[in-house]
Amino acid sequence: DTAVSQTPKYLVTQMGNDKSIKCEQNLGHDTMYWYKQDSKKFLKIMFSYNNKELIINETVPNRFSPKSPDKAHLNLHINSLELGDSAVYFCASSPTRRNEQFFGPGTRLTVL
Amino acid sequence: AQKITQTQPGMFVQEKEAVTLDCTYDTSDPSYGLFWYKQPSSGEMIFLIYQGSYDQQNATEGRYSLNFQKARKSANLVISASQLGDSAMYFCAMRIGAGSYQLTFGKGTKLSVIP
């Protein structure tokens, strides 16, 4: 019955590799998001998709590319991983822009 | 410029006591929403409570209430009858504008409940 799920939960990889994080929501929401939480617990929005269309693209390096194959999925692909990409990445969804956002469990990415 | 300020990096409260977590915000847009989230040590983000800028009454959800003072631009979270399970990071967040999707988060307050 998981509302917003992410895979994998943990991801350990070498610098320079390419990796993807998958996100799925079964809530029927129109809008999905990716957030990054750094080591100091600061949460910052990266991307927002509404009905499969990119709405927000904050100042994120273009090594990060979101892909939304359908309304229920928003995947995050990261090229040429760097040490500074180590963080917890959260996927979230909301039914409309006005409502609270429901978060996935997070993916802890460690770049060695 | 930071739009959400949580001035208390850490707070302690005795079990069964009430505690107030501070949050101030800055916006000139008359339409905005304020949110509180809880992040326990397990890492998930749990939505607690929401207050809209046009809402006449302060929001309440069980033991959580939001002390919304519009003129002071503050949206403090009050947790009544603290429980050990309330120990967590608490984040205040704001959505600015009726057409906005973006949540801006504060830096969080770590609450520790003492038995």
Side-chain angles (χ1 to χ4, degrees):
Chain A
D1 262 64
T2 307
V4 183
S5 60
Q6 293 178 229
T7 52
K9 188 164 174 61
Y10 299 97
L11 185 53
V12 181
T13 188
Q14 298 287 331
M15 229 168 32
N17 284 352
D18 303 338
K19 290 292 177 187
S20 292
I21 307 172
K22 295 186 176 181
C23 177
E24 177 182 2
Q25 54 96 2
N26 61 6
L27 299 166
H29 290 170
D30 295 324
T31 311
M32 296 184 72
Y33 314 81
W34 277 109
Y35 287 87
K36 178 181 180 181
Q37 186 174 43
D38 62 24
S39 58
K40 295 183 179 177
K41 299 285 191 182
F42 184 60
L43 264 161
K44 188 170 164 57
I45 183 122
M46 299 174 70
F47 301 102
S48 172
Y49 268 73
N50 181 252
N51 282 320
K52 294 170 53 180
E53 281 191 37
L54 180 65
I55 302 298
I56 295 171
N57 182 358
E58 288 294 308
T59 48
V60 175
N62 57 15
R63 297 183 294 104
F64 290 79
S65 53
K67 292 266 182 350
S68 182
D70 54 58
K71 270 176 51 173
H73 295 85
L74 181 62
N75 303 324
L76 183 65
H77 188 75
I78 316 169
N79 289 330
S80 303
L81 277 155
E82 300 177 357
L83 294 176
D85 297 332
S86 294
V88 179
Y89 292 84
F90 284 98
C91 177
S93 72
S94 65
T96 70
R97 69 196 71 166
R98 297 178 62 83
N99 293 15
E100 67 270 20
Q101 296 177 13
F102 296 87
F103 282 73
T107 296
R108 182 174 292 280
L109 171 65
T110 303
V111 182
L112 303 174
Chain B
Q2 189 176 357
K3 296 184 172 67
I4 287 278
T5 303
Q6 294 179 254
T7 56
Q8 307 150 315
M11 289 276 288
F12 290 89
V13 64
Q14 205 75 37
E15 199 178 1
K16 299 179 186 176
E17 297 290 312
V19 63
T20 298
L21 306 183
D22 294 342
C23 174
T24 58
Y25 59 91
D26 182 27
T27 180
S28 56
D29 197 309
S31 177
Y32 53 90
L34 297 155
F35 303 77
W36 277 93
Y37 283 85
K38 173 184 176 181
Q39 187 177 38
S41 58
S42 50
E44 71 270 32
M45 293 287 289
I46 303 166
F47 166 75
L48 296 178
I49 198 165
Y50 166 78
Q51 180 84 43
S53 59
Y54 295 119
D55 293 345
Q56 295 296 315
Q57 293 190 325
N58 286 349
T60 59
E61 288 286 348
R63 293 186 301 111
Y64 304 108
S65 60
L66 203 152
N67 184 1
F68 181 44
Q69 298 190 41
K70 205 167 181 176
R72 293 186 178 183
K73 294 189 175 179
S74 73
N76 299 338
L77 177 71
V78 181
I79 306 174
S80 62
S82 296
Q83 302 172 357
L84 295 178
D86 294 335
S87 294
M89 283 287 288
Y90 288 81
F91 293 94
C92 181
M94 179 170 64
R95 186 202 65 243
I96 301 171
S100 171
Y101 292 89
Q102 183 175 349
L103 280 185
T104 300
F105 282 84
K107 292 186 175 181
T109 295
K110 184 170 183 178
L111 178 67
S112 300
V113 181
I114 306 164

